[in-house]
Amino acid sequence: MLLPAKAEVARQLRRYRAWERVMLAAPNDRTVRATFEDSGYTLCVLMGKRCAREAADAAERYLRTNQVTYLQEQQVTCLQEQTERPRPAAAVRRRPPAAERRSPAGR
């Protein structure tokens, strides 16, 4: 698994946190909100997460641990997510009711 440079992760995390503070101070400003969401999206892509909060948490964990430890944590998390997902039920083919079935002799 490729990991981003720690310097880039730190820079994007600082940017995300800075725009988060600005957005909380002016929640009705559409430009601020759009820039905040853009910074969250960038962090999501960088960290491989679907949610900006998860990406920020992952970035913080990544910055305070070494790469081997981070990869081990990610592997455990991935395995837990796979076991928690509901499995789709097997497709069951049903025959029509007996009254609608015809025998070959009744043609």
Side-chain angles (χ1 to χ4, degrees), residues 68-86:
V68 174
T69 305
Y70 179 77
L71 286 173
Q72 289 171 346
E73 288 176 2
Q74 289 301 105
Q75 186 177 19
V76 168
T77 303
C78 183
L79 291 174
Q80 287 173 344
E81 288 174 356
Q82 287 177 352
T83 58
E84 291 173 359
R85 290 184 189 157

Side-chain angles (χ1 to χ4, degrees), residues 6-67:
K6 284 196 173 193
E8 184 63 20
V9 173
R11 187 174 75 82
Q12 291 299 330
L13 183 60
R14 281 192 309 270
R15 181 174 181 259
Y16 173 78
R17 294 295 185 203
W19 280 109
E20 182 179 39
R21 287 188 297 273
V22 173
M23 198 271 308
L24 290 172
N28 294 329
D29 188 339
R30 290 184 179 188
T31 305
V32 170
R33 181 173 290 276
T35 308
F36 169 66
E37 289 175 357
D38 286 346
S39 68
Y41 176 77
T42 302
L43 200 58
C44 286
V45 171
L46 193 64
M47 298 309 297
K49 299 294 181 183
R50 294 183 182 188
C51 169
R53 288 180 189 235
E54 288 178 10
D57 290 343
E60 289 171 351
R61 276 193 315 274
Y62 176 59
L63 292 173
R64 72 173 172 256
T65 62
N66 64 26
Q67 292 178 348

